[in-house]
Amino acid sequence: MQHVKSGKARAIVANSGNANACTGTVGAVHAKAMATAVARRLGAPTEQVLVCSTGRIGVLLPIVKVEAGIKKILTHVSRDGGHDAATAIMTSDTFAKEYAVSFKAGGKTFHVGGIAKALE
């Protein structure tokens, strides 16, 4: 939430299987570590990396494993990875929730896409 307040985002890092919720100070440190790992590799400010987690509540992240995964996955960053991201966060969902649109405004073409989780 601290990073959202700036109003600027250059990247989102998400993990599934572990919500990193109700984990106290250690959970906050782990979220910051995830943002820092992505920011460092993308050359972006840490405050412009948003962190999302989904999965089990009250369990600490295996942060060493998560950071190794970040390093590995950043070699596969793609403009075409939306569907992969939508399916990756399906912990208890029965189908991927994704949508994308393109539109023109001010003589420019914009592409906007989104993925979501079901509220259960």
Side-chain angles (χ1 to χ4, degrees):
M1 291 306 297
Q2 293 170 345
H3 293 194
V4 171
K5 291 178 185 177
S6 76
K8 296 179 181 179
R10 296 190 51 198
I12 298 171
V13 58
N15 71 280
S16 64
N18 188 319
N20 196 32
C22 300
T23 53
T25 304
V26 174
V29 169
H30 287 171
K32 183 76 166 185
M34 288 173 65
T36 300
V38 171
R40 183 176 54 241
R41 288 173 177 84
L42 294 181
T46 300
E47 297 75 24
Q48 291 182 4
V49 177
L50 307 181
V51 178
C52 307
S53 298
T54 182
R56 295 172 300 161
I57 294 172
V59 178
L60 292 175
L61 285 173
I63 194 63
V64 172
K65 185 176 179 180
V66 171
E67 287 177 322
I70 288 169
K71 181 178 180 181
K72 180 179 177 181
I73 198 69
L74 283 177
T75 63
H76 301 289
V77 172
S78 165
R79 292 180 181 265
D80 301 319
H83 179 70
D84 290 340
T87 57
I89 65 170
M90 290 176 47
T91 49
S92 59
D93 303 270
T94 56
F95 64 94
K97 286 82 172 168
E98 57 188 313
Y99 198 76
V101 296
S102 296
F103 61 93
K104 292 187 180 203
K108 295 182 180 181
T109 301
F110 295 86
H111 307 280
V112 180
I115 62 173
K117 295 243 343 122
L119 294 174
E120 299 176 74

